[in-house]
Amino acid sequence: MADPTPEDLAQLGFDGIAKDRPRLDTIDDNIRGDQADPYIPQNASDLYLTLVQRCKTNILPLLVKTPAQTLAVDGYTRSDSNGSEEAPAEWVAWQDNRMDARQASVHRAALQYGQSYVTVLPKDGEDSVPVFRGVTPRLMHAAYTDPAADALPKWAFQLEQQQETEGVAVRGWLYDSTTVYELMVGGKKGPEVISSRPHGVQINGEPVCPVVRFAPDIDLEGRVTGVVEPMIVIQDRLNQTVFDLLVAQTFGSFKVRTVSGMAPEFRRDPETGEILVDTNGRPIAIPVRADASRLLMAPDADTKFNTLDETPLSGFLEAIDMAVKHMSVVSQTPPHYLLGSIINIGAEALAAAESALQRAVQEYKNALGESWETAMMIAASIQGGTPDPRAQVNWKDVESRSLVSTVDALGKAVQLLKVPPRAMWTRIPGVSSTDAEQWAQMQESDDPGLRMADAIASNTIPEVTDG
């Protein structure tokens, strides 16, 4: 059987994106607040339709932002660094690509949809300069031999934008182990190659596809699950409960006064005194004006006044809290993040409440860290260096802890366990690898022994005379 052509692979990729689009569009709509409307009675009035728009309480973005805000790569260590303070070339490329800020978009897309992608390619005109680009799964399809175990795909196809009109071609790129193809796809003529260029990316001498997948939750069948999709049902239930609350609040949250046994008073023509009638010929009654500032009186002794109690709202509020708590449990998000209720809680209790989130974040770091390390290996290949499969990315520590207790614990590790002090610098909350490098340079410049060694090397030791 002949190998598939670039046009064949591009069509497969285009069809794969179209197949996944309904599910991913549903996730995108829900995260942006375009959610399913709650049930409303037939022939609902305009007021009901207004309440439908006001009832949507979108919590889904918080489920993505909460773990994403704890995921930040702030350093990279090669296994062959030998304690060198000089930043690896891959980390320099990371900084040049402004990935300190742009990594957040990759993490959020991975958590939202279940996966995202990063392409690492040589810069046009500068083959030794790697360029990192994040890609949403709504615009990319990747094919794997083993989707659960393979670090890199056999090939991947990326669209420039979603096809809005069927039959109108859009631009895309096909990446395989040797070449990047630019094509037009989706048109009536089928895929057409516009141009191609070799990318030259290799790892351990083997050409590879320069596309890295970020999948924080993948099973052994290669299926991915984001944090949003399982929560859509609970979000719809929450919206329905809030809608029912607004209806009860609008139509039944006030006491209603009733009167019986009293003849109604009708509107009369001011000139003739005749009773006025409506379009159906019925007399127009004058409503009884009853409010807190009026005393109700009736001439008939048989007249009775009464009140209808308001609808209690506490049950609706409890149902809303229950839906939010269910969302908290299923997503491993601390309940006080969603409910906003944190009163007189100690540090230990707060740490216990966030323990489930920390376990989930650690799992995300394990998966996403491997993907970033693979991307760094590709960057090293582009720079002409040696990819290091044992290198490690360093995650920023954002856990809620007292700075005083943290520094005290690190100091005891240095004193009691004889850990090198410099090894503890990056473990201080808020201190990045760049800060640690600057501290090391400052320490070396202030070290008298090093200054003496430099002076000996340069033969600039001042002469010492008696007296």
Side-chain angles (χ1 to χ4, degrees), residues 4-31:
T5 64
E7 291 85 354
D8 295 334
L9 297 179
Q11 186 62 51
L12 289 174
F14 182 77
D15 294 340
I17 294 174
K19 179 181 178 181
D20 292 338
R21 182 175 181 180
R23 183 180 67 88
L24 298 180
D25 283 354
T26 299
I27 295 174
D28 183 68
D29 290 341
N30 275 270
I31 204 74

Side-chain angles (χ1 to χ4, degrees), residues 67-210:
Q69 289 170 349
T70 66
L71 298 171
V73 174
D74 70 345
Y76 179 73
T77 305
R78 289 180 60 95
S79 61
D80 56 2
S81 62
N82 297 323
S84 173
E85 299 295 339
E86 184 178 356
E90 303 96 304
W91 184 248
V92 175
W94 169 284
Q95 297 287 343
D96 291 343
N97 279 270
R98 298 181 292 113
M99 293 305 295
D100 283 339
R102 294 167 57 191
Q103 62 176 310
S105 299
V106 177
H107 296 157
R108 290 190 180 186
L111 293 171
Q112 178 173 324
Y113 299 111
Q115 63 183 358
S116 61
Y117 299 93
V118 169
T119 62
V120 188
L121 292 164
K123 185 177 181 181
D124 290 340
E126 302 179 46
D127 291 342
S128 62
V129 178
V131 177
F132 295 78
R133 289 289 184 269
V135 184
T136 171
R138 299 175 69 202
L139 295 176
M140 176 166 277
H141 175 81
Y144 296 82
T145 302
D146 184 347
D150 292 350
L152 295 171
K154 297 183 298 181
W155 57 268
F157 177 74
Q158 176 187 352
L159 278 178
E160 182 179 33
Q161 62 184 16
Q162 290 281 10
Q163 184 186 37
E164 299 298 336
T165 304
E166 186 175 357
V168 177
V170 292
R171 187 165 67 154
W173 295 270
L174 174 69
Y175 310 97
D176 64 15
S177 59
T178 60
T179 311
V180 178
Y181 300 90
E182 182 178 353
L183 307 96
M184 297 299 293
V185 296
K188 297 179 180 179
K189 297 180 180 180
E192 296 179 310
V193 175
I194 300 175
S195 63
S196 64
R197 64 182 177 92
H199 55 68
V201 176
Q202 296 184 354
I203 296 180
N204 298 327
E206 293 291 333
V208 296
C209 179

Side-chain angles (χ1 to χ4, degrees), residues 322-337:
M322 183 61 66
V324 175
K325 289 177 181 177
H326 285 174
M327 193 174 291
S328 170
V329 171
V330 178
S331 66
Q332 291 185 273
T333 304
H336 58 272
Y337 283 26

Side-chain angles (χ1 to χ4, degrees), residues 280-293:
N280 296 321
R282 293 190 297 264
I284 302 176
I286 300 176
V288 177
R289 300 182 61 186
D291 56 43
S293 63

Side-chain angles (χ1 to χ4, degrees), residues 397-446:
D397 186 1
V398 296
E399 188 174 351
S400 298
R401 290 196 302 264
S402 168
L403 179 61
V404 175
S405 62
T406 301
V407 173
D408 181 63
L410 296 178
K412 289 182 178 179
V414 172
Q415 294 178 357
L416 302 180
L417 303 178
K418 308 305 180 183
V419 178
R422 286 190 183 184
M424 297 291 101
W425 290 354
T426 56
R427 297 181 180 271
I428 301 175
V431 176
S432 65
S433 298
T434 303
D435 295 332
E437 292 173 9
Q438 293 177 348
W439 291 358
Q441 294 173 2
M442 294 168 61
Q443 187 182 60
E444 291 173 358
S445 62
D446 293 338

